[in-house]
Amino acid sequence: QVQLVESGGGLVQAGASLRLACAASGLTLSSYAMGWFRQAPGKEREFVAAVSKSGGLTYYANSVKGRFTVSRENAKDTVYLEMNSLKPEDTAVYVCAAGLVPDTSEARYGYWGQGTQVTVPS
């Protein structure tokens, strides 16, 4: 059974940093591209970042480019999202997903985690 479990969310002040982790089980992580998405209250889920199977290619939404970094440790079956200079508009549930190719579209991902809450008060 495939499981993706996110951790590392929390309540932080604007300008602070957080590091999210996504631990995978039931699949060979190195065979999958990984993506991070987020959903804020009352809004649709949106793409945040993606990383290729080897970690050599990364992609970011314009809203997080330069502040967020996605990485992975296949040997540990874990993907990370380092978030710096957090803003109130980053408040959302962050979810990781596994797919065959890194992509901005949700439709490209077949496995999803439950998410972790990130709150940045204004």
Side-chain angles (χ1 to χ4, degrees), residues 31-113:
S31 297
Y32 291 86
M34 297 297 293
W36 285 96
F37 291 78
R38 68 186 181 185
Q39 187 166 19
K43 295 187 177 181
E44 293 187 355
R45 189 158 56 187
E46 64 174 1
F47 169 77
V48 175
V51 59
S52 61
K53 296 174 185 179
S54 67
L57 295 174
T58 56
Y59 306 86
Y60 298 95
N62 288 335
S63 59
V64 306
K65 201 172 294 183
R67 299 189 297 123
F68 290 13
T69 302
V70 59
S71 62
R72 62 192 298 160
E73 286 191 77
N74 287 339
K76 293 186 177 181
D77 292 323
T78 304
V79 179
Y80 304 98
L81 184 68
E82 183 79 33
M83 307 186 296
N84 298 315
S85 302
L86 283 162
K87 304 175 181 180
E89 51 263 43
D90 294 319
T91 295
V93 174
Y94 284 73
V95 182
C96 66
L100 296 181
V101 294
D103 201 280
T104 61
S105 171
E106 295 180 37
R108 290 288 199 167
Y109 297 88
Y111 300 106
W112 293 82

Side-chain angles (χ1 to χ4, degrees), residues 8-14 16-18 20 86 91-92 116-122:
L11 171 66
V12 295
Q13 296 304 309
S17 298
L18 277 176
L20 305 184
L86 283 162
T91 295
T116 185
Q117 175 72 46
V118 172
T119 303
V120 188
S122 56

Side-chain angles (χ1 to χ4, degrees), residues 2-19:
V2 174
Q3 277 194 312
L4 301 175
V5 180
E6 302 88 344
S7 62
L11 171 66
V12 295
Q13 296 304 309
S17 298
L18 277 176
R19 188 194 198 199

